[in-house]
Structure formats: structure tokens, C-alpha cells
Amino acid sequence: MDDPFDLAGAEEPAPAPQPQSFPYLDSLNPPQRQAVETLEGAVLVLAGAGTGKTRVLTTRLVHLLNTGTARPWEVLAVTFTNKAAREMSDRVGQLIGNRVEGMWLGTFHAIGARILRRHAELLGLRSDFTILDDDDQQRLLKQLLEAEGIDPKRWPPRQLAGVIDGWKNKGLMPDRVPEGDSGFADGRGRDLYRMYQERLQTLNAVDFGDLLLLCIRLFQTAPDVLAEFQRRFRYILVDEYQDTNVAQYLWLRLLAQGAKNICCVGDDDQSIYGWRGAEVGNILKFESDFPGAKVIRLEQNYRSTAAVLKAASAVIANNEGRLGKTLWTDIPGGEKVTVIGVWDGEEEARTIGDEIESLHRKGERLSEMAILVRATFQMRSFEDRFIEIGVPYQVLGGVRFYQRQEIKDATCYLQIVAQPDNDIAFERIVNTPKRGLGDATVQMLHRAARGARQSLYRAAEALVETEELKPKARNTLKRLLDDFARWRQVKDDLDPAELAGMVLDESGYTEMWQRDKSPNAPTKLENLKEMVLAMEDHETLGAYLEHIALVQANDSSDDTEKVSIMTLHAAKGLEFDTVFLPGWEEEVFPHRRALEETGNAGLEEERRLAYVGITRARQRCFISHAANRRVFNEWRSGIPSRFVEELPADAVEVRAETGLYGASAQPGGAGSRQQSPGSFAYDAPWLQATQRLKERGYRAGGYARGKVIEGEAREVRTLENVRKFQKDERVFHQKFGYGLVARVDGNHLLIDFEKAGQKKVVAAFVDPA
DNA sequence: CGCTTGTTTGTTTTT
DNA sequence: CAAACAAGCG
């Protein structure tokens, strides 16, 4: 399953058998059935959350084959994530067996890579080109900036990468970028983009965006190649269509112009990749792009209880510019969504941990529980807590396995064995482990390489034959090159795992970590072992390298009894009986930068993310927010997310964390605040600061839909000015009691508490004694 | 010249 | 709390 792209069966002539009855159709509802049976022409399926989208997709695929309408190799099925591709492949495989093999089923990027490898020479690449990850990309851009005399401090490579990525997502080659676009480095962005592409070409490398962009160029410049693919892909299926960007859209449109049989499935309310160039507009334009297209709506939700669905619908209803669907369910009632307010991130982890244990004791399966966070940094507190109380868990996504330092290093060694001209990899490991080939030597290699217009590796080979290097460096370099030559000789006789073991040991890389006495060294060694183990699944080194370039390791869950922790983005397409949604605080969720960078559009995307989160739940949904959160080493106070207030009062139950704050929290509680009809609000003592803030107009204007965000951000800051405190002032704090202010630092106070000792706290939560 | 040590800096989401 | 970066040591 690692390589879903075998071309097996391409010449097989026999059409599939054509049974007369198709029992799988009987279990579909009428619109689902229509979506499955409308095989010809353009079809857009608007599938709300939990309406059986995956089922429709897989059944349709099966139906195409079973009716003899298409043979496996005539089908192109595209997804966004590897996880989705794998799931589709598995499910179709269960129904029709090995006929999946011949299908082109995979992510946009994986299929793009496959197309490019076949026709690389038409684009000035060799078919063994390397695919750079964003780390490599940024290194390369940094070199480029330095070479151009642009200060990487003032113009961060990271930002340039973002700009270039944006262009690529829009399908723009350097010559099509409008002059002076972007403003990067005083309008030099476009030139840098052009130079970057040239550099990639000489390196025989592509980045992620190129996997699509270069395909488009290929199709445009080689009509015969395009025609071949158009002939081949008679039936095209696209999952998560709402997340396509312009490049993907162009790519699809070119391919679909042949047979014009294209079926796209999507949900505008679940479009959460706008930051990656996704254009919800694509889904809105569908009917005009494919005249005569049939639009089918799936609105019956089979997943969630009425309560969960009601909460989700109420939140998403605050978005404008929706296609609009009315989801309904047969599943009656259900538990209300629980909203929990806690003091800080650690308490949040404790509370959720307790809840998980309690549910588990009642017989709920851990594998049916998930914690969905906005950003990966939120994961840590849960991991810490679960380790402490012994709850088994798994993290999906998160820090990417293949991007960890030690894995990346090891991979670079292997890449150079396979592709010596990979300069980026070479530079990374030439002095790792330290072997005395430092900056000066590398600079010399660079000069030699540039002079002779060849790769660093080849330049090194030439250089060790001369007297230019100092003897010590020369010998070391010679030894390294000899090592590589030796590994390269045996690479085809060993399987990848054996080769990796050999390279890691003989290069001294393993030894480097064995000697390292820092506390994380053992983990790194473990990871290396894990990597070697994983390589056993791959037939060739090339297959392994392709796999890690395109697939992130941690994206699939095993079925063991574990709680899952992942980002909201990673959770799309999944479902669980119980879902925990922590960190619903302004600035965390909706994320501050989403609002800053894209204003209302950003806010609406965040809201769709909230919608995705809630709709993952079948039975139970817990939403929590913390009053304080640790950011790096300082404490920041937060107020509940506006999304909390958008929850409908009658589908929500508020739980106060008793003990600390008393049990006074009630929906629509005793607070002086007015609440808008139908929305829900509550009081908890620690929310008093928030309360005060809101009474001063924060809520009235601040949460208004569509309002420009700057004003709001400034309002939030007034939280810090709730009350000024002086050094040595006597104060009272809800949790820690009485104390004396030892230091004032903006809104952060260092207080010597009489009972609790010295603590850093936020001024908003302290009252004068 | 290369390596160790301290300092600063910055975390959305992913193929 | 990391990793990237700058300054001093051998």
C-alpha cells in the first residue's frame, strides 16, 4: 500500500464482469444513490458533515468498475491528504479486491509527482529529481538572498517561501507574476522567484508547489502528453473539492476536458485551507465551468446526535457567503455539548484527563475519544498529563517524523547514496557528525562547484585530487567520498533497511548520538531505529525516498485502545464518539494571526474549523477554555472564544470547575450582562475581568460580525489596564489568596503570596486587598 | 579555523 | 522550550 501507483494492468484487455444487480445501492438514500449512479458528465456533490460522503465516493468508484463503465486504469481519484487516499483505497479494496491496483488514486501532489517523473525530461529535469521539503526550500532561499546581497534578517526566507508558494498556488510561473507584486525586498520578489526556479532546475529538484505547477506547464507545452492523459482518465473523482486552490483547479480542468466525466465532492462549510490558497470560489463556479453539471445535495446526517448537530449548525450560521445546507438527523436528543471553564492549560489537561478516565470506567472506548486542538503547541500539556496518569494516547500529525533532525540527517545520507548531486543534502551532512569540514571548506566547495558548474559532490571529488585543501580536510573529505562510493556500490544488493543500518553505523552518525549525553539523545536513537524498521516496508531505496517526501509518517491511527490527539485540520474526515475541543479562547481560537492577516475571511475560516471540530463528534462534545495560558515563559490571560457565545443555549451545558471557583456557573446565570436571544452566556467568578471588559463595550462592538479586527485587538489590550498595581501593594487573588506585589511588569505581576509563595500572575485576576 | 557556549528568537493550520 | 544565531575559546 505504500506505493498506490503501480501501473499494473494497464494493458489488460478484459472488461470487468457486469453483474445485473448491485446490492450496495439498496442501502443508500435517494440523493446518495443519485450521486453514485450518475456516472456520466459533471457532478458536484455537496455533502454536509457526516452525510456519508466517503461512502458515496467509494461506492461510486466500485459502481464504475462493477457496471463495466470504466476499467481501473481509466479512473483518476484525487484526495488532499494521504490519509484520505489510503482510506479510499482500503475501502474500495475491500469491496473489489485487487482491482484498486491499476487505479490512479492518491493526493494531488503524489499524482503530480508521478506524472512529472514520467515526463521530467520535457521540463528540463531528470526523472530522479528530488522533492524538497520546506526546510530545504528555506535553506535554498536563504542562500539565494545572501548571494543577492539581501539581508535575510530584514527579509526572512520564510516569508519569501510564503510569497512564492502563494504564486505557485495561483498557478503563476515567474513570467506571469505581475511586476512589483508582493513587495518582498522592494519588489524584487519576482526576480528572486525566477532565480529560485533556475536554482531548483540545476539542482534537479522541485518543491511541493512545483508538483502541480510543473504539471500544468507540461500540459500546456506538450499537448500530446496532455491528450494522452485526457484519453486515459475517462472518469475523474475529486474529494474535498472546497479545498482546491487555483493550481489544482487548473490541473483538474485540463485533465477533465477530455472525457468530461468529473465528479467533485465537497462541503463549503468545511473549507479550512484558505491559507494554502484554497478557493471556495471553485466550488461556487462549478456549474459554469462544467455546463450541464448536476448538483446533488446530501443533507441527512448519520453521524451525530441532534444536540451536537444543533451546536455545530448554530456556530456555522454566523458565517456569510455559504451555499447553505440544512443538515438534519434521525438520531434524537443526545447529550448537550458541555462547556468547561478552567483556570489554566494544566487544569484543562487535568479536567479532560479526568473526564476521559470517567468515561472509560463507564465502558467508553479510548479509541473513540479524541482531543482536537487548534495548534500543535497545545498538545504538550495533554501528553504530559496522560503520561502522568497512564492514559494511553497517540498523537497524529504534530511534529513531523521525517522532519526531525536525526531523521532528516539520516535521510540526507541516503539521498546522496541515491542521488549524489543533491547539494542540499550534501551540505547538510558533510560535517555531521563533526569531522572538521567547517564553513571554510564548504565555502571552497561552493566556489569550485560554481566555477565548474557542477554539484558539490562532483566538485568535492575533483578537489580531493588537488592540493588546494589542507591535508587534514582533504583526507577527511576523501574518506567521506570513498564511503559514499562504497555504499553506492552495494545499494542495489541490499534492501533499504540493511543499507540504512550500514550507512548510519559506518558514517559515525549513530555513534554521534550514542556519545551525546543530552537527555534527548536516547530518543533520537530510538527514532533512528524506528526509521530503519519502517524502511523494511519498501522494496527499493527510491521508493522509500519518494514515500517520505510525500507522506507524513504520523498521519494514521492504529486501532489500539488509545486516545487520539491531533489538530482540527488533521481531524477532517474522521469521527469519534467523544470529542474534546480545548483552547477555545480568543487569540488561540480564533487564532490571532488568522484575524490579523485575513480579517473577516480569516474569522470565517476559523469558524468553519470550529464547525469541523464539533461535527467530528457522534455522541459527546466537550468544549473548554482557560483563563490563563503559558506562552513560552510568560503567562497570558485569555477570554472565552466568541465561538463559545455562538453556541445555542439550549444545546449546551456549562460545567464550573468546582473547588476553585465555587459552583455558581449557570447558563444565562446571575451576571449583569445582557445576552442576545438564543445565544448563551454564563458567569464564573474568574470571568469577572472579562465581564468588566465586556461591560465597557467589548462585546457590543467587538464581536459584531464583519467588524474590522484592529479595533478589537486594541480593546482586548484594555484588559491589561483593568487596574494598575504598585510594587508592595497588598492584593487578593481568587486562587492564591493575599499577597504583596513584588514586581510589576506590564499586566504581569510577581506576587509574594502569604500562603502560596511567589507566583507570576495576570493583573486582571488580582484585586486590591 | 572549527567548535563550544551563551543569547535570542519566534509557534496556525499541511502537501 | 526549542532551534537558530552570535560571540569567545582552543
Side-chain angles (χ1 to χ4, degrees), chain A residues 719-730:
Chain A
L719 179 60
E720 299 161 8
N721 307 327
V722 167
R723 166 75 158 76
K724 294 272 187 219
F725 291 92
Q726 309 283 323
K727 184 165 162 20
D728 295 329
E729 191 175 345
R730 190 170 144 84

Side-chain angles (χ1 to χ4, degrees), chain A residues 20-175:
Chain A
Q20 290 308 303
S21 70
F22 307 105
Y24 47 82
L25 293 177
D26 297 335
S27 55
L28 300 174
N29 69 29
Q32 286 177 336
R33 184 162 175 160
Q34 193 190 7
V36 167
E37 290 193 297
T38 313
L39 297 178
E40 305 293 322
V43 180
L44 176 65
V45 182
L46 292 173
T51 55
K53 180 196 70 163
T54 311
R55 182 140 182 241
V56 164
L57 269 171
T58 51
T59 312
R60 184 183 165 94
L61 220 52
V62 169
H63 200 54
L64 271 170
L65 302 178
N66 277 354
T67 52
T69 312
R71 291 168 295 180
W73 57 93
E74 295 172 328
V75 176
L76 171 66
V78 212
T79 63
F80 270 80
T81 61
N82 293 293
K83 195 169 27 179
R86 205 175 316 120
E87 185 181 349
M88 201 189 295
S89 170
D90 287 349
R91 283 172 70 160
V92 174
Q94 280 166 17
L95 293 165
I96 61 165
N98 62 0
R99 277 185 290 161
V100 202
E101 299 290 310
M103 273 192 289
W104 285 56
L105 191 163
T107 62
F108 276 100
H109 294 270
I111 288 174
R114 188 173 170 190
I115 291 174
L116 287 184
R117 293 222 186 267
R118 290 193 161 193
H119 298 283
E121 74 292 349
L122 293 174
L123 295 156
L125 292 166
R126 294 195 312 273
S127 106
D128 67 341
F129 60 77
T130 7
I131 300 167
L132 302 190
D133 63 22
D134 21 311
D135 202 50
D136 299 329
Q137 192 187 9
Q138 278 172 38
R139 262 166 215 266
L140 193 58
L141 287 170
K142 188 169 174 223
Q143 283 179 12
L144 189 62
L145 287 172
E146 276 161 0
E148 287 301 301
I150 298 170
D151 182 10
K153 280 254 166 83
R154 192 162 134 64
W155 300 104
R158 204 184 146 69
Q159 187 191 342
L160 180 56
V163 169
I164 291 178
D165 241 32
W167 283 326
K168 291 190 173 178
N169 286 336
K170 286 187 185 143
L172 295 171
M173 304 293 303
D175 54 318

Side-chain angles (χ1 to χ4, degrees), chain A residues 193-207:
Chain A
Y193 178 20
R194 187 178 39 74
M195 288 186 273
Y196 169 66
Q197 290 305 110
E198 283 164 8
R199 191 88 187 86
L200 283 177
Q201 187 155 0
T202 53
L203 288 170
N204 192 38
V206 303
D207 64 20

Side-chain angles (χ1 to χ4, degrees), chain A residues 392-407:
Chain A
Y393 70 90
Q394 60 184 338
V395 172
L396 306 190
V399 184
R400 272 156 251 180
F401 185 75
Y402 297 124
Q403 253 160 242
R404 289 178 198 177
Q405 178 190 16
E406 64 279 13
I407 303 302

